[in-house]
Amino acid sequence: MEKVQLFKPSFSGQRFTDHTLPFDILDDLSVYQDLLLQVAKDIYYQKNNSKRVPNGFGAGVYLKLSQLEEGSTIPTILLAAASFMAGTTDTKSYFEEAQQQITKAIAASQDDSEITGILSTEALSYFNKFGKNLREDEAIDFKPSWNGEAKLTQINRRKIVLASPTATSVESDIMIRGNISALNKDPFQFTFQGRDKSKIIVPIDKANYKTVEQAFLNFESDKRVLIEGVGVYNKQNKLEEIKEIKMIVILDRLDVPTILEGFNNYEDGWLNGEGNPFNKQELLWLSYQFDNYISRDLLLPFTFPMVEGGVQFEWKKGPHDTTIEVNLKDKSAYVHYYNSQSDDFSENTYDVSNLSGWIEINEELLKYFKAKEE
Amino acid sequence: MSEQMLFRQVHPSWVVGEGISSQTFKPMPKDKYMLSMYDGDKFSAKESYEHFIAKDLQTSGVLGVTNTEFQAEDLNCSPDDEDFVGHILVDFSNLTKGQARKKAKKLRDAAVKRGWMYVEEKQEQEENETSD
């Protein structure tokens, strides 16, 4: 048995903070093995000016997940084989070069440069499956050996799939918020309007009809819904169809991710000449942190932009008043509690780049701001 | 000292429904920790609003805090006629971050309890129509 370390991808996102890999990500990694073989073959074709690989090329070559490093979700991926020899050809270098090519393609997707010359059409199509299970806040960092970044996110994955001349669309899991601006009974369908006013016509099934109708009847008061399902993105990487609705719910008007999404529209000088635009990825990060770490037993806070570039959450109930100022750059949270009865205040700063900071904040909030008292 | 109303303009980004951010009463480092207010003896709430938007600045409406409420927080209010006559600066310098936020929350609460001193008429009408 021969084995070599191929790469050590770093997974980031809420699901990886406890240093484990969810099962569905293992599905993605198993597709990666097929992708790697395809790219290794493509390199062979090119280097040897051949349309065939030697018999046994890739046979018995497989990837192994070695270990998760302490303190992070960084598995070591090993390239293993009983033998890398295919006849007289040592295939190992082709697989190692394939790894570099895939990393280059991901880096190109990140900085919007040309992808098609890096991977073949066949190889690009593997990205229909590889990375499909990543959620919007998640990324696989391929950590290139050269100076630069190569992070696979859902957005970059779609760019890679759509780079193929044969691809006209790509499917992707979606979690989107917006309004219902029209409702039609024949055929049963509604118009979903995103925050950017883009519209998509979506068929309704009976199970969701009441929710959709309620949202539609309250369109003028900006009643918003959250749709989770499967979407289809067109060649321009724009959502053009909602193929399947797994869940649709009406959102509270204080829904934090909806409000944070609105901060993307803030332009330079939004506060009477002061204030910078927000970074979309940073807002997305905070949305997921809030959705996943802040208890649903709590009252929803008021959410405000900060001129310094952060986000301020404000809770107030009886004499209790807590504000959290989240610094989106260094992922810290300054928590200030004021009690109007005692006239005392306390303050603390937490590292919210990891779960433990959010757990501590949650415990503090649950003391005073439960939506329903037990 | 007689009680004097001071007006503060509230940026639309800091109003969500009935929620008004305490940031409204937190001065910025670039303002040298001085909070800008309108002197209620020289401007009505409406006049302060009109004066503000005439400078092409955005406001959702006007809240009011009295000079005695500021003084109760040991915040000194002084006229700044150099900017414009009727401009008052409230001094938050020499406060810690935590103290400044506590005072901002107390002032916001006092102002909210008093209610909007002025909101644009059109907005007011819309609010009435919605509540009807």
Side-chain angles (χ1 to χ4, degrees), chain A residues 239-298:
Chain A
L239 183 65
E240 66 174 9
E241 184 188 341
I242 297 173
K243 195 175 175 185
E244 183 191 340
I245 295 180
K246 292 176 183 164
M247 187 190 80
I248 178 165
V249 288
I250 290 183
L251 294 168
D252 191 285
R253 71 192 169 81
L254 296 181
D255 176 61
V256 170
T258 305
I259 294 171
L260 290 178
E261 201 181 321
F263 291 178
N264 284 311
N265 301 327
Y266 281 56
E267 293 172 355
D268 201 23
W270 57 268
L271 189 91
N272 289 328
E274 291 179 70
N276 295 319
F278 285 84
N279 176 296
K280 192 174 180 177
Q281 283 303 319
E282 289 170 356
L283 289 173
L284 212 51
W285 167 80
L286 185 57
S287 285
Y288 275 86
Q289 304 297 303
F290 195 93
D291 250 2
N292 291 291
Y293 295 154
I294 298 295
S295 169
R296 287 168 203 268
D297 293 337
L298 286 166

Side-chain angles (χ1 to χ4, degrees), chain A residues 253 266 270 272 274 302 304-308 312 314 316 321 323 325 334 336 338 343 345 347, chain B residues 11 13-14 16 18-19 21-23 26 28 30 57-58 97-99 101-102 105-106 108-109:
Chain A
R253 71 192 169 81
Y266 281 56
W270 57 268
N272 289 328
E274 291 179 70
F302 290 105
F304 299 108
M306 294 176 69
V307 70
E308 300 88 343
Q312 179 155 320
E314 301 192 9
K316 193 164 163 50
D321 186 327
T323 46
E325 299 173 27
Y334 170 77
H336 183 277
Y338 167 64
D343 202 36
F345 76 91
E347 58 189 331
Chain B
H11 192 269
S13 301
W14 288 345
V16 176
E18 72 278 17
S21 177
S22 58
Q23 292 179 89
K26 186 190 80 178
M28 302 294 157
K30 68 120 192 142
L57 300 173
Q58 280 187 298
K97 187 175 175 177
Q99 286 168 337
R101 276 144 183 84
K102 171 186 162 182
K105 287 176 181 181
K106 291 180 79 172
R108 186 268 320 268
D109 290 349

Side-chain angles (χ1 to χ4, degrees), chain A residues 3-4 8 17 43 48 51 80 93 108 174 189 257 264-265 279 288 290 335 352 361 366-367 369:
Chain A
K3 57 186 177 186
V4 289
K8 291 171 78 168
T17 48
I43 293 168
N48 298 282
K51 290 183 178 173
S93 62
I174 53 164
Q189 59 188 27
N264 284 311
N265 301 327
N279 176 296
Y288 275 86
F290 195 93
V335 179
V352 287
I361 290 174
L366 283 165
K367 286 182 197 167
F369 304 109

